[in-house]
Amino acid sequence: MPSATSILSVRDLHVTFSTPRGPLYAVQGISFDLGEGETMGLVGESGSGKSTLALGILRLLPLNGKWTAKSISVMGQDVVSMSERDLNSAVRWTKLAYVPQASQNALDPLYRVGDQFVETVAAHAKVEREDVLKKAGTLLEQVGVDPAKLQSYPWELSGGQKQRVMIAMALILEPKIVILDEPTTALDTIIQAQILELFKQMRSFQKLSSIFISHDISVISNIADRVGVMYAGSLVEMASVSDIFKNPIHPYTQGLRESVPDVRKNKPISFIPGTPPDMVNPPPGCRFHPRCPYVQEVCKKSDPPLLPYPGDHYAACHFAERWVKQ
Ligand code: SF4
């Protein structure tokens, strides 16, 4: 999936965790490009590998995690062979920032918000404390939080305020790329809508490229230019947000789309039967085959590659042609 103005390019990324039951294949050979100014939505069920993909790109895996990749290029710089120290000073937070899942809980309850901004910056760059606090105050204002909250402890803030603080913190060193991992999941629908709107404003204000991770395809439809659909550690479909909704090719994407309730149509809510596979012992062939309504013998033996179709649309299904709109 090449992009003429790619700002983040990932080739053949694999992440495996060692577990007492054997290796768990969490991310399997993922390649993609993120264009400059683009927001790519990453959608899939819990456990499909979305967060692990983000942590693999940033090399922030837990100790039992191992990664390999042909290349990971951040703003033209290949980070695969970079030392941990160089990655920390030259890439993490300065070029590529990450807002973690459950980020409201990522703030340390024992430290004031301002101190946590200072600590974050000190881990990646040499900047005077007063300068950090001044900039943090400006960012808080931009995300709709009173700069006086720099003096507050996290437990004095609401869930929505904490999420806004985390977005501001991700932007403190002016990265060009931000990965937001389920940033609206723990919030009520009104705050969720406010955070999405805020992110849209920040994205154009700061000229950001971003990856927006969510298990909720309707949230992704609100925010993304392009969508990658993950299933069992692999990208099974990638296309513009309108194609993913209007002309999904992969049966898993079709199931995700059908599972979105539509209050205007009086149709029962449908769901994808079964559960995601055990990634220590994944099924052979197409990993979606035990749940797929269109499964054939070939699907149980051969893993379909991600192939291009008209309109910059990619899908991994042996029978993709059936659903390709000409
Ligand atoms: Fe379904 Fe077969 Fe396509 Fe997999 S390859 S999604 S099992 S039709």
Side-chain angles (χ1 to χ4, degrees), residues 28-101:
Q28 301 186 53
I30 285 194
S31 301
F32 69 89
D33 286 281
L34 177 69
E36 211 171 330
E38 180 179 46
T39 295
M40 187 178 111
L42 211 49
V43 72
E45 287 162 293
S46 297
S48 59
K50 308 180 299 297
S51 301
T52 307
L53 172 63
L55 295 174
I57 292 169
L58 280 153
R59 285 166 45 191
L60 290 173
L61 295 166
L63 287 176
N64 66 336
K66 294 245 176 322
W67 65 276
T68 61
K70 281 196 183 128
S71 69
I72 299 175
S73 169
V74 179
M75 297 173 70
Q77 192 172 19
D78 194 348
V79 302
V80 163
S81 53
M82 216 176 235
S83 70
E84 191 60 19
R85 190 172 157 176
D86 288 348
L87 192 65
N88 223 21
S89 61
V91 177
R92 290 187 192 132
W93 250 254
T94 52
K95 292 192 173 98
L96 172 55
Y98 177 59
V99 180
Q101 206 175 111

Side-chain angles (χ1 to χ4, degrees), residues 250-252 286-290 292-296 299 302 304 316-320 323:
H250 197 283
Y252 177 62
C286 171
R287 281 181 290 277
F288 187 56
H289 88 249
C292 181
Y294 309 103
V295 59
Q296 302 286 321
C299 309
S302 153
C317 171
H318 290 304
F319 302 98
W323 297 288

Side-chain angles (χ1 to χ4, degrees), residues 41-254:
L42 211 49
V43 72
E45 287 162 293
S46 297
S48 59
K50 308 180 299 297
S51 301
T52 307
L53 172 63
L55 295 174
I57 292 169
L58 280 153
R59 285 166 45 191
L60 290 173
L61 295 166
L63 287 176
N64 66 336
K66 294 245 176 322
W67 65 276
T68 61
K70 281 196 183 128
S71 69
I72 299 175
S73 169
V74 179
M75 297 173 70
Q77 192 172 19
D78 194 348
V79 302
V80 163
S81 53
M82 216 176 235
S83 70
E84 191 60 19
R85 190 172 157 176
D86 288 348
L87 192 65
N88 223 21
S89 61
V91 177
R92 290 187 192 132
W93 250 254
T94 52
K95 292 192 173 98
L96 172 55
Y98 177 59
V99 180
Q101 206 175 111
S103 60
Q104 298 169 48
N105 303 328
L107 292 164
D108 189 329
L110 299 177
Y111 291 91
R112 292 179 199 275
V113 169
D115 290 334
Q116 298 192 49
F117 271 92
V118 173
E119 198 180 326
T120 302
V121 172
H124 301 279
K126 285 197 172 84
V127 185
E128 293 295 326
R129 178 184 170 86
E130 286 318 307
D131 293 338
V132 175
L133 291 175
K134 193 171 163 199
K135 194 162 173 193
T138 307
L139 278 168
L140 284 190
E141 251 179 338
Q142 286 171 2
V143 299
V145 175
D146 182 350
K149 298 287 185 198
L150 286 171
Q151 294 302 320
S152 302
Y153 290 94
W155 44 267
E156 296 178 293
L157 308 182
S158 68
Q161 284 173 327
K162 282 190 261 190
Q163 188 64 65
R164 287 164 191 260
V165 166
M166 287 307 297
I167 292 174
M169 206 176 280
L171 302 177
I172 188 84
L173 285 169
E174 300 177 12
K176 288 283 170 234
I177 311 162
V178 178
I179 302 178
L180 297 107
D181 195 351
E182 303 271 8
T184 57
T185 297
L187 304 172
D188 65 52
T189 39
I190 292 173
I191 304 293
Q192 205 175 82
Q194 288 173 357
I195 294 289
L196 286 180
E197 197 47 46
L198 165 72
F199 176 67
K200 284 182 194 166
Q201 287 166 15
M202 297 302 288
R203 179 177 66 179
S204 62
F205 189 63
Q206 308 264 353
K207 298 191 171 50
L208 288 173
S209 309
S210 51
I211 297 177
F212 196 102
I213 297 173
S214 179
H215 64 274
D216 187 340
I217 197 167
S218 56
V219 167
I220 291 285
S221 73
N222 240 305
I223 200 93
D225 302 307
R226 204 156 50 107
V227 181
V229 181
M230 279 190 76
Y231 186 77
S234 299
L235 269 177
V236 296
E237 186 155 5
M238 171 84 89
S240 68
V241 71
S242 67
D243 272 348
I244 286 288
F245 271 84
K246 288 189 196 138
N247 309 310
I249 292 177
H250 197 283
Y252 177 62
T253 315
Q254 294 170 19

